[in-house]
Amino acid sequence: KAGVTQTPRYLIKTRGQQVTLSCSPISGHRSVSWYQQTPGQGLQFLFEYFSETQRNKGNFPGRFSGRQFSNSRSEMNVSTLELGDSALYLCASSLEVRWRPRTEAFFGQGTRLTVV
Amino acid sequence: DAKTTQPPSMDCAEGRAANLPCNHSTISGNEYVYWYRQIHSQGPQYIIHGLKNNETNEMASLIITEDRKSSTLILPHATLRDTAVYYCIVRVAPSSNTGKLIFGQGTTLQVKP
């Protein structure tokens, strides 16, 4: 079955602009998480959505937001872009079932955002 | 979630077993040990996870000490394609925080010919 799909793969934006990144999870997965990866800070959790509700949020400013649609697809938005927002943004989806321990997260290839 | 400590880098000869250690001395009884790896410029890939028993799958084996304070990921016959950053993560499953993975700096494994 198809994996996690992130679009676009590469993006160049100017400071002050806003950007929207998209993530399509594996079919049947209702949990979608977003991560930012930079050389200095490594992989950092941004937020998680489950059934269209934000379930958890990392320590990022309010310029970073997200949402999830009824088909589990998710978008994240960064407003008023700063140079420091240049990073690889990764999306992960997971299947959750109550009667067994949490299954693994499947990551997409990421969107490489460059802010100039 | 408990904190983990991993060596920053390791080398391994191609065809030999790669043993990657992880310390998680503050692990709680309901926390699982997960391993992921990230090959350059790709998204992290799940490898294996376990609670207290040793686990094996087609990719690797996970050995967890009896006191659960440390674990070792074993790649039985490392290949050049196993060169990656390996992350050891401890997390509770399931809970309201189940979607959140806390990545440390990981171990960069270099497999050499």
Side-chain angles (χ1 to χ4, degrees):
Chain A
K1 58 184 176 182
V4 178
T5 304
Q6 292 188 246
T7 57
R9 289 293 311 279
Y10 302 92
L11 205 50
I12 299 176
K13 289 287 189 178
T14 304
R15 271 183 304 174
Q17 287 186 313
Q18 72 155 10
V19 67
T20 299
L21 311 181
S22 178
C23 172
S24 293
I26 292 172
S27 178
H29 287 193
R30 292 191 295 161
S31 170
V32 174
S33 300
W34 289 89
Y35 295 81
Q36 181 197 64
Q37 186 171 30
T38 59
Q41 299 298 319
L43 270 159
Q44 293 186 288
F45 173 78
L46 277 158
F47 28 65
E48 180 203 7
Y49 287 87
F50 181 79
S51 294
E52 302 178 65
T53 300
Q54 187 180 86
R55 185 161 68 176
N56 212 341
K57 190 176 190 306
N59 189 26
F60 278 82
R63 299 185 296 107
F64 292 81
S65 62
R67 59 178 175 169
Q68 186 180 33
F69 302 96
S70 58
N71 62 358
S72 293
R73 190 178 72 84
S74 178
E75 290 181 347
M76 68 162 283
N77 183 277
V78 187
S79 63
T80 319
L81 283 166
E82 301 176 358
L83 295 179
D85 297 332
S86 295
L88 179 66
Y89 290 88
L90 291 157
C91 164
S93 76
S94 337
L95 175 67
E96 286 192 28
V97 290
R98 290 187 181 277
W99 55 87
R100 56 174 284 196
R102 181 102 168 119
T103 58
E104 64 270 28
F106 293 86
F107 283 80
Q109 294 286 69
T111 294
R112 174 77 61 186
L113 172 65
T114 301
V115 182
V116 298
Chain B
D1 294 334
K3 179 179 168 55
T4 62
T5 304
Q6 299 177 252
S9 64
M10 293 182 64
D11 289 342
C12 177
E14 188 177 20
R16 304 297 293 269
N19 297 286
L20 292 93
C22 178
N23 284 320
H24 30 79
S25 58
T26 60
I27 193 170
S28 301
N30 61 346
E31 289 182 314
Y32 287 69
V33 180
Y34 283 73
W35 283 84
Y36 284 78
R37 73 179 181 184
Q38 187 175 25
I39 296 171
H40 183 62
S41 295
Q42 297 183 20
Q45 176 191 24
Y46 166 82
I47 300 173
I48 198 168
H49 76 280
L51 181 61
K52 54 183 178 181
N53 298 318
N54 298 337
E55 302 288 345
T56 296
N57 63 20
E58 65 279 4
M59 288 182 67
S61 294
L62 173 60
I63 309 297
I64 302 175
T65 58
E66 192 168 342
D67 63 7
R68 304 208 323 121
K69 293 183 185 297
S70 65
S71 60
T72 301
L73 178 75
I74 301 173
L75 307 178
H77 305 285
T79 70
L80 298 179
R81 288 177 295 179
D82 292 322
T83 292
V85 179
Y86 287 77
Y87 297 99
C88 170
I89 299 168
V90 172
R91 61 184 297 202
V92 177
S95 77
S96 61
N97 291 326
T98 50
K100 179 180 179 179
L101 294 172
I102 300 176
F103 289 85
Q105 295 305 307
T107 296
T108 299
L109 175 68
Q110 181 73 49
V111 180
K112 299 185 174 182

